[in-house]
């Protein structure tokens, strides 16, 4: 199967933000080609001339991949998201095609186990020896390996909360990493919801390989169409604009004392999100990683 390769030309300063927005519309495993990383590496004393080939002389290239039939909608969404990127350079977009099997094989070479305070996230095709909780993960063509700052902050919040016996909702679940991690940390039940069928198929697979299918339910569709009742903890690792759109919907799945973890919020959009959510929720903590913010709220 062939996939569309989307390349965005930007700057070093904006590359992480561009990568985040590209990941929202593409497969996981976004690549950043920054020549500064090549030349400013003090541990290298020699490089082959071929090492320069993937890089642009003047700009940073951020690449991601999507199904060919999804290319038009992906580009429309991406162009809208890139409008808020500051100091982003040209933000020129180029499109090509790649063979899917080759891309997936390359991604599997680069996805290594990720260790948090309490959990080791291990690719399904690898093994790890640890005393910590282990979450096996195959992202397939879904989002979420735990490598991005926005997911890392959510995992930090999850590990500091007492999830024992709690019911959890993971909105925009991607690979299912947050909902499944919550179950490993003691939650009694989790619902995982995503609008993307590819994502929910992967989340179901990940629940199966971790032996968690009896404690979770994975649903495809919009939050309001698929979810009823109230939860003890809600995770929503999305973008500021989507969190704004889901504000009233999330308010329908909480009760007094429900904890809400929001992430995927650019620093420049934090105030916008808080202005919407603080009418119903109190802010307990704000985390920062690079340009990204994660927020822990509680229902009033």
């Amino acid at each position: 199967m062939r996939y569309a390769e989307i390349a965005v030309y930007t700057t070093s300063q904006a590359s992480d933000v561009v990568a985040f927005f590209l990941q929202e519309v593409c497969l996981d495993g976004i690549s950043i080609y920054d020549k500064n990383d090549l030349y400013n590496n003090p541990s290298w004393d020699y490089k082959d001339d071929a090492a320069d080939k993937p890089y642009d002389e003047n700009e940073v290239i951020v690449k991601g991949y999507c199904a060919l039939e999804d290319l038009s909608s992906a580009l429309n969404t991406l162009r809208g998201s890139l409008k808020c990127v500051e100091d982003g350079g040209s933000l020129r977009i180029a499109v090509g095609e790649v063979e899917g099997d080759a891309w997936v094989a390359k991604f599997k070479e680069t996805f290594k186990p990720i260790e948090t305070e309490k959990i080791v996230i291990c690719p399904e095709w690898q093994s790890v020896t640890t005393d910590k909780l282990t979450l096996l993960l195959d992202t397939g063509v879904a989002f979420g390996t735990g490598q991005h700052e926005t997911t890392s902050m959510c995992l930090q919040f999850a590990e500091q909360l007492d999830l024992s016996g709690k019911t959890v909702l993971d909105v925009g679940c991607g690979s299912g990493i947050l909902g499944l991690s919550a179950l490993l940390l003691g939650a009694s039940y989790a619902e995982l919801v995503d609008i993307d069928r590819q994502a929910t198929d992967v989340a179901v697979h990940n629940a199966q390989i971790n032996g968690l299918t009896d404690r979770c339910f994975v649903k495809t569709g919009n939050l309001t169409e698929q979810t009823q009742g109230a939860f003890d903890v809600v995770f929503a690792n999305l973008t500021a604009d989507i969190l704004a759109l889901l504000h009233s919907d999330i308010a329908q799945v909480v009760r007094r004392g429900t904890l809400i973890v929001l992430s995927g919020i650019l620093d420049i959009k934090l105030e916008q999100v808080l202005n919407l959510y603080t009418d119903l929720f109190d802010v307990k903590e704000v985390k920062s990683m690079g340009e990204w913010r994660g927020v822990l709220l509680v229902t009033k």
Side-chain angles (χ1 to χ4, degrees):
M1 181 176 179
R2 296 188 66 78
Y3 289 92
E5 178 185 75
I6 302 175
V8 181
Y9 291 76
T10 184
T11 62
S12 295
Q13 294 85 348
S15 59
D16 282 341
V17 177
V18 171
F20 179 80
F21 288 131
L22 192 57
Q23 182 171 283
E24 286 293 300
V25 298
C26 288
L27 313 179
D28 206 1
I30 301 301
S31 301
I32 299 176
Y33 298 89
D34 187 341
K35 210 163 190 177
N36 290 318
D37 295 334
L38 183 67
Y39 284 98
N40 298 338
N41 191 328
S43 65
W44 294 0
D45 54 14
Y46 170 79
K47 73 170 182 65
D48 190 275
D49 290 340
D52 289 311
K53 289 184 178 180
Y55 299 88
D56 184 84
E57 186 64 33
N58 301 307
E59 294 186 281
V60 176
I61 309 172
V62 184
K63 292 184 178 182
Y65 306 86
C66 72
L68 289 172
E69 60 267 27
D70 297 331
L71 178 60
S72 179
S73 62
L75 290 175
N76 287 338
T77 301
L78 179 63
R79 290 186 180 110
S81 299
L82 293 178
K83 290 179 181 178
C84 75
V85 177
E86 297 181 348
D87 301 320
S90 72
L91 295 176
R92 177 170 64 89
I93 298 174
V95 178
E97 290 188 23
V98 296
E99 185 61 45
D101 291 344
W103 176 82
V104 171
K106 185 65 177 178
F107 168 66
K108 287 189 173 184
E109 291 178 8
T110 62
F111 180 19
K112 304 301 182 184
I114 301 163
E115 188 170 349
T116 68
E117 182 181 349
K118 298 180 180 179
I119 299 174
V120 175
I121 300 161
C122 182
E124 181 188 8
W125 53 90
Q126 297 184 29
S127 60
V128 64
T129 301
T130 180
D131 293 330
K132 296 184 178 183
L133 300 168
T134 301
L135 178 68
L136 297 176
L137 200 69
D138 186 353
T139 65
V141 293
F143 309 115
T145 64
Q147 294 169 310
H148 198 275
E149 290 96 331
T150 60
T151 309
S152 294
M153 287 187 288
C154 288
L155 290 171
Q156 288 175 15
F157 278 127
E159 290 178 335
Q160 75 187 48
L161 298 176
D162 180 8
L163 296 177
S164 300
K166 299 292 193 300
T167 58
V168 171
L169 175 63
D170 184 356
V171 182
C173 65
S175 65
I177 184 172
L178 298 178
L180 298 179
S181 293
L183 291 174
L184 290 184
L185 292 166
S188 60
Y189 173 76
E191 284 194 15
L192 286 61
V193 184
D194 201 295
I195 200 167
D196 187 342
R197 168 64 69 179
Q198 290 180 318
T200 53
D201 286 346
V202 171
V204 167
H205 173 73
N206 287 330
Q208 291 170 341
I209 62 178
N210 286 282
L212 297 172
T213 53
D214 60 332
R215 295 164 55 202
C216 71
F217 190 27
V218 182
K219 303 177 179 181
T220 306
N222 292 327
L223 173 61
T224 51
E225 294 174 351
Q226 297 297 326
T227 302
Q228 296 179 344
F231 295 82
D232 298 316
V233 182
V234 177
F235 291 96
N237 181 23
L238 300 163
T239 66
D241 292 339
I242 296 176
L243 290 172
L245 289 173
L246 289 178
H247 164 244
S248 59
D249 297 337
I250 289 177
Q252 301 303 310
V253 294
V254 300
R255 61 172 70 91
R256 184 175 178 83
T258 293
L259 295 167
I260 316 289
V261 175
L262 306 179
S263 192
I265 307 167
L266 280 171
D267 52 1
I268 60 173
K269 297 217 170 184
L270 178 61
E271 185 176 356
Q272 168 195 338
V273 173
L274 292 183
N275 285 342
L276 281 172
Y277 278 81
T278 49
D279 60 341
L280 294 174
F281 308 101
D282 289 325
V283 178
K284 289 178 66 70
E285 184 180 351
V286 177
K287 289 186 184 294
S288 302
M289 294 187 74
E291 303 97 335
W292 302 102
R293 302 293 180 265
V295 184
L296 176 63
L297 306 146
V298 62
T299 310
K300 294 180 179 178

